[in-house]
Amino acid sequence: MEARDATAGEAVISAHVSSTGEEQTAKKEASPKKEKPNTQTKMEQIFGFKREDLTSWQSVVILLNRPTDPASLGIFRCLFGLLMAIDITQERGLSHLDYKYLDGAPVCRFPLFNFLQPLPLDWMYLVYVVMFLGALGIMLGCCYRLSCLMFISTYWYIFFLDKTAWNNHSYLYGLIGFQLTLMDGNRYWSIDGLRRPSIRNAHVPLWNYTVLRVQILIVYFIAGIKKLDADWVEGYSMSYLAHHWLFDPFKVILPVEFVSLVVVHGGGLVLDLTAGYLLFFDITRPYAFFFVSYFHCMNSQLFSIGMFPYTMLATSPLFCYPDWPRRFFSHFPECLRVALPITKHNIESSTSCVYPEVHTTSIERQGVPPVTKPSKLRLRQKLGAIFTILYIIEQFFLPYSHFITQGYNNWTNGLYGYSWDMMVHSRSHQHVKITYKDGKTGEIGYLNPGVFTQSRRWKDHGDMLKQYATCLSQLLPRYNISDPEIYFDIWVSINERFQQRIFDPRVDIVKADWSPFRPNPWLMPLLVDLSPWRTKFQEIEGTLDNQTEIVFIADFPGLHLENFVSEDLGNTSIQVLQGKVNVEIVEEKKNYTLQLGEQIKVPAGAYHKVYTLSETPSCYMYIYVNTTEAALQENFTKLFELQERIRNGTETEPLPPELQPLIAADDDEGSEVNATDPVVKLFLKRQRRMREVKKRREAGALERLERFAVKKYYAIRRGFLMTVIALRNLVVGLPPLEQLTREVAFANMKEPQAETSQDERLKDELGHGEL
């Protein structure tokens, strides 16, 4: 609510005088009233309403249904619909829907409710078509209510269908779609307004803006509250972001550690806590616009979060005066006004709003102002006020409702997606083992982590792990494994802590008890008492050379870690940091007891087990060198030096045949050179990839824009063609297999450059693979 909102009703008083014969007189008298000095109280100037507006239920209803300019809401509706239409082809997955929903394939899925299942593939395409048409209808303001219902019904169905795809911004899209369904978003710049003049450019009740503004304030503010977590404040949550090129300007004056602590974590905390409030007030809004816009533009480059940064940018103008589009578009040439939104301020009245009625009497002639009373409140207006208050309360409560849904709590509370704890927790998985046991024969075997599923998020959530185990128990009998028991041994590090177990590996998850309303009994506690060790981790890592790697492990009393050391890790040792452990070399059948500070070398290419003997959790670290990679890097260095000598003409010795491709690679950098020696071949491939990365990073703005547009074009193209194929299948049936194969191959066609640069590992080689 703002000061200009408070005057929205005053502009239409003249249209609601008690006597219809005095309408024209009241309109003529309306203009001099604007010249009167401002009599608003300080509170009304700042917040847009008076204290008296909150003194009774009736006054609150009148306030929330105050007539307000529909312009800003109409522009937001249009932008939201456009962004959702784009989002459907990308993050919702229309362009790769056939990979996500595999007809007939044994796939484990993770719906919110187990009875929810995807429709057959062709029908899923139809669901997406309905959602897409709904988004277009919202954007155009065409058949507005129906379009909103089409969008949110299909959107929430797809949302509930897969918990592994949940995140905060996808949840936010669904909330905004639901809110728009109840709002009068088609009163400005809409096709409905062209078809129905009665609603064109008509007022909307103030609660339409109130709900949206408070929703965005909650997103920012609760995200800031969540960032008061010690891990975020101390700079452990997103420390890797400081290495991104976007923060290079800060690294000119600050070391990387300070950029991470002050800019990434400190700046994110302050912005989230203050952004909603700074956007609310006139005096601070310009500064908030700058910082919020800069923040979201950076996020669009840092993370793969689809339309979220642009959606948040689209919400910022909601905090401005509602008539800002009229003032903005009034500066455009007259010849463009036909296609642009309305700029005139003569807004029509609406039955959704509460207008004050002016009763003129003979006393008015003696200088006494007319008496204004609100019109009679309707049920619709009361329901709008009730919805606004209850919705805001619910949105403030829901992020802290995890004491109810305790079964979804793990090391972090609740179903990730509605708590606004954005980027507060980062995880790394070191070891995942799935063990099955035949219930009849007792045979024990191991499964590939992630078998029968396309997601990896089940490793961090007990409810998904239960669903995954249940699914595996139903699929394994197909492979002659009867009544299988399923055990998971998952090691996770959260926010740079020790790698530790998240679930009890001794529990058969198939038969394990789980309830959404009770704590998970087989969840292992997070060893928060060991968090201070992270400072020592940095000290230890600082003493290592570039080829030495290290992994920090913490384990519970009575448990053991079974590990296999790859033959590539030719120099691996275990050193105890806390507690007491027993190391068993399986092949040698030998046991070694280690205490604080003691170290032992473990053989490569063999299994070993580490038992925790102490009564408190044990802590130890693996120190290892990838000898194969070290030798490869040494060969790369020699080949690079040789290549440099060839280029500058200082190499006088004739090259053997296996090194001749080094010369050919210099002569023709754009083509792939055949090499018989595997090391030379890998070296040339790496060189080619690095040249591609360098070329992409040094590309100009137009080339980057063209590359982005081409990539999006082929993704949208594939989604469109596959949708046409699916709808054709529903209407006329499946064609011959040869024809279907040709159609899918045509839809899969990619730009020539993409076909020659599919290796995503080049990001890892340059140090930004985690982004």
Side-chain angles (χ1 to χ4, degrees):
M1 304 174 194
E2 288 145 353
R4 189 169 297 189
D5 295 342
T7 63
E10 299 173 8
V12 293
I13 289 178
S14 58
H16 294 270
V17 292
S18 57
S19 173
T20 57
E22 296 176 355
E23 269 190 353
Q24 298 299 326
T25 305
K27 289 181 180 179
K28 292 179 181 179
E29 293 176 354
S31 54
K33 291 181 182 179
K34 296 180 181 178
E35 300 175 0
K36 291 183 179 181
N38 190 357
T39 59
Q40 293 180 335
T41 64
K42 192 69 173 178
M43 181 177 179
E44 195 171 2
Q45 293 175 13
I46 296 176
F47 296 102
F49 57 87
K50 299 175 290 187
R51 185 177 302 173
E52 291 78 8
D53 293 330
L54 305 177
T55 55
S56 67
W57 167 245
Q58 183 178 14
S59 60
V60 170
V61 175
I62 294 172
L63 172 64
L64 291 175
N65 287 277
R66 175 184 293 164
T68 310
D69 196 314
S72 183
L73 180 63
I75 296 299
F76 173 73
R77 179 216 77 231
C78 183
L79 292 175
F80 178 76
L82 173 63
L83 292 170
M84 290 304 98
I86 298 173
D87 177 80
I88 289 167
T89 64
Q90 297 184 45
E91 196 169 0
R92 293 318 114 202
L94 178 61
S95 60
H96 56 273
L97 200 62
D98 50 324
Y99 296 109
K100 187 173 183 180
Y101 300 106
L102 304 172
D103 278 349
V107 178
C108 295
R109 305 191 186 278
F110 305 91
L112 178 61
F113 307 107
N114 290 327
F115 65 83
L116 279 177
Q117 294 297 324
L119 301 173
L121 180 60
D122 290 340
W123 288 98
M124 287 302 299
Y125 273 104
L126 180 61
V127 169
Y128 272 71
V129 168
V130 173
M131 181 166 57
F132 183 78
L133 292 177
L136 284 182
I138 293 174
M139 179 184 74
L140 299 174
C142 179
C143 302
Y144 176 68
R145 303 288 181 198
L146 177 61
S147 295
C148 288
L149 290 173
M150 290 168 60
F151 175 75
I152 65 168
S153 59
T154 51
Y155 185 92
W156 283 105
Y157 166 67
I158 292 169
F159 186 80
F160 289 143
L161 203 57
D162 186 12
K163 288 185 292 186
T164 65
W166 284 18
N167 49 45
N168 287 280
H169 60 267
S170 296
Y171 170 62
L172 178 64
Y173 298 162
L175 292 181
I176 294 177
F178 168 69
Q179 295 166 17
L180 288 176
T181 305
L182 304 179
M183 296 177 181
D184 297 330
N186 60 340
R187 298 305 194 252
Y188 185 79
W189 205 30
S190 68
I191 293 178
D192 286 349
L194 295 177
R195 296 190 298 111
R196 297 168 55 193
S198 61
I199 67 169
R200 186 185 183 189
N201 199 30
H203 281 118
V204 297
L206 181 59
W207 69 262
N208 286 195
Y209 286 97
T210 302
V211 170
L212 286 169
R213 289 170 180 169
V214 174
Q215 179 69 75
I216 301 307
L217 184 145
I218 288 174
V219 172
Y220 283 120
F221 183 68
I222 299 297
I225 294 294
K226 299 285 185 175
K227 286 181 174 62
L228 292 174
D229 181 86
D231 286 355
W232 183 276
V233 174
E234 295 174 12
Y236 291 109
S237 296
M238 293 281 124
S239 59
Y240 65 85
L241 284 184
H243 297 281
H244 196 277
W245 63 268
L246 279 172
F247 296 97
D248 286 349
F250 299 102
K251 286 181 277 189
V252 174
I253 56 176
L254 293 173
V256 175
E257 295 77 12
F258 275 82
V259 171
S260 175
L261 182 63
V262 177
V263 180
V264 176
H265 292 89
L269 171 63
V270 173
L271 186 136
D272 279 337
L273 284 175
T274 61
Y277 297 100
L278 296 179
L279 285 168
F280 190 87
F281 299 106
D282 293 353
I283 193 170
T284 56
R285 191 175 300 119
Y287 305 102
F289 259 69
F290 172 77
F291 287 109
V292 165
S293 300
Y294 183 72
F295 174 74
H296 291 302
C297 288
M298 288 185 69
N299 283 345
S300 69
Q301 300 299 310
L302 287 170
F303 309 106
S304 298
I305 48 179
M307 294 294 106
F308 178 56
Y310 311 107
T311 303
M312 292 304 292
L313 288 173
T315 63
S316 296
L318 287 171
F319 291 85
C320 299
Y321 292 122
D323 66 341
W324 71 263
R326 302 180 191 274
R327 290 178 280 118
F328 175 75
F329 289 109
S330 65
H331 295 91
F332 282 71
E334 191 71 32
C335 59
L336 300 178
R337 300 281 178 85
V338 178
L340 293 177
I342 300 173
T343 57
K344 297 180 181 179
H345 286 266
N346 52 337
I347 309 173
E348 301 295 330
S349 60
S350 170
T351 56
S352 302
C353 304
V354 177
Y355 296 91
E357 295 180 349
V358 180
H359 298 271
T360 56
T361 63
S362 59
I363 303 178
E364 183 182 359
R365 301 173 185 175
Q366 303 176 9
V368 179
V371 179
T372 61
K373 294 183 178 180
S375 57
K376 184 178 180 181
L377 299 180
R378 302 180 181 180
L379 177 62
R380 177 180 180 179
Q381 294 155 351
K382 295 178 181 179
L383 291 177
I386 293 173
F387 165 76
T388 301
I389 296 171
L390 292 181
Y391 182 83
I392 292 174
I393 293 174
E394 178 263 346
Q395 282 296 301
F396 273 108
F397 168 75
L398 198 58
Y400 300 98
S401 63
H402 309 305
F403 64 92
I404 299 175
T405 55
Q406 297 183 67
Y408 295 102
N409 297 345
N410 298 289
W411 288 349
T412 57
N413 285 334
L415 282 167
Y416 184 77
Y418 66 87
S419 299
W420 312 120
D421 50 352
M422 292 176 277
M423 303 301 174
V424 178
H425 306 104
S426 60
R427 297 174 176 86
S428 64
H429 299 82
Q430 185 68 27
H431 180 75
V432 178
K433 183 173 71 172
I434 305 177
T435 306
Y436 70 83
K437 181 179 179 181
D438 192 303
K440 292 184 178 179
T441 66
E443 177 189 358
I444 295 177
Y446 303 94
L447 298 176
N448 233 352
V451 65
F452 300 124
T453 182
Q454 299 172 324
S455 174
R456 295 177 294 178
R457 290 186 67 177
W458 55 268
K459 294 181 288 189
D460 299 311
H461 301 271
D463 57 301
M464 297 186 197
L465 198 72
K466 177 66 177 179
Q467 289 176 305
Y468 188 35
T470 303
C471 177
L472 290 177
S473 69
Q474 296 169 353
L475 294 175
L476 289 181
R478 302 182 185 180
Y479 303 90
N480 299 321
I481 303 172
S482 304
D483 301 327
E485 301 174 6
I486 308 294
Y487 302 88
F488 294 89
D489 194 11
I490 303 172
W491 293 74
V492 188
S493 169
I494 185 169
N495 293 345
E496 302 183 16
R497 289 182 173 85
F498 280 101
Q499 288 280 342
Q500 66 156 97
R501 288 183 168 95
I502 184 170
F503 302 112
D504 194 332
R506 300 164 296 189
V507 175
D508 173 18
I509 305 300
V510 177
K511 299 176 182 176
D513 182 41
W514 182 86
S515 168
F517 306 110
R518 294 195 302 271
N520 190 341
W522 31 274
L523 173 72
M524 306 295 282
L526 178 63
L527 298 173
V528 291
D529 293 341
L530 301 177
S531 298
W533 274 91
R534 289 179 292 190
T535 304
K536 190 169 290 187
F537 293 169
Q538 297 173 354
E539 297 175 0
I540 295 174
E541 291 170 344
T543 63
L544 304 176
D545 57 42
N546 292 332
Q547 295 182 343
T548 304
E549 301 289 342
I550 195 166
V551 178
F552 299 97
I553 304 291
D555 202 3
F556 295 91
L559 297 179
H560 71 275
L561 167 65
E562 182 179 13
N563 204 358
F564 177 81
V565 179
S566 171
E567 294 181 355
D568 294 328
L569 310 181
N571 186 16
T572 303
S573 60
I574 299 174
Q575 181 176 336
V576 178
L577 302 174
Q578 176 180 301
K580 183 179 180 181
V581 302
N582 178 271
V583 179
E584 176 189 354
I585 310 300
V586 178
E587 289 187 359
E588 299 177 3
K589 297 182 179 180
K590 293 182 179 180
N591 292 275
Y592 303 89
T593 300
L594 303 179
Q595 299 189 15
L596 177 62
E598 296 181 341
Q599 185 174 348
I600 186 176
K601 186 174 181 179
V602 292
Y607 280 94
H608 66 271
K609 298 180 181 179
V610 184
Y611 296 84
T612 298
L613 303 180
S614 52
E615 296 181 356
T616 57
S618 64
C619 304
Y620 51 94
M621 59 182 177
Y622 280 91
I623 307 171
Y624 61 95
V625 176
N626 191 326
T627 52
T628 302
E629 183 179 355
L632 186 62
Q633 290 296 334
E634 184 178 354
N635 287 329
F636 281 177
T637 302
K638 292 179 180 179
L639 290 173
F640 180 77
E641 293 173 351
L642 176 59
Q643 195 176 50
E644 287 297 309
R645 292 198 300 270
I646 294 173
R647 287 172 179 169
N648 56 35
T650 59
E651 179 60 36
T652 58
E653 297 293 331
L655 295 179
E658 62 269 16
L659 297 181
Q660 290 293 331
L662 294 176
I663 302 176
D666 274 350
D667 294 338
D668 191 0
E669 294 185 355
S671 62
E672 185 172 354
V673 179
N674 293 324
T676 56
D677 187 280
V679 176
V680 175
K681 184 176 182 179
L682 191 59
F683 172 76
L684 294 176
K685 185 178 180 180
R686 182 176 182 270
Q687 291 289 91
R688 187 174 66 255
R689 289 202 307 267
M690 293 182 68
R691 285 195 299 267
E692 291 174 0
V693 172
K694 183 179 180 181
K695 181 180 178 181
R696 291 168 68 90
R697 288 192 172 177
E698 294 177 353
L702 289 178
E703 186 177 347
R704 288 171 179 260
L705 180 61
E706 180 185 4
R707 189 167 61 234
F708 173 82
V710 168
K711 180 180 178 182
K712 297 304 178 186
Y713 163 75
Y714 278 96
I716 295 173
R717 174 185 178 276
R718 187 182 191 279
F720 172 76
L721 292 177
M722 293 298 294
T723 301
V724 171
I725 294 172
L727 296 181
R728 189 275 316 276
N729 295 343
L730 290 175
V731 175
V732 301
L734 285 171
L737 182 60
E738 295 78 8
Q739 177 184 343
L740 189 61
T741 302
R742 290 195 304 270
E743 292 172 348
V744 173
F746 180 71
N748 288 336
M749 185 179 66
K750 297 181 179 180
E751 69 275 22
Q753 294 179 353
E755 295 173 359
T756 60
S757 58
Q758 289 295 318
D759 197 341
E760 293 296 330
R761 289 177 298 173
L762 58 91
K763 292 184 179 180
D764 296 326
E765 293 193 11
L766 296 180
H768 295 299
E770 71 276 6
L771 301 181

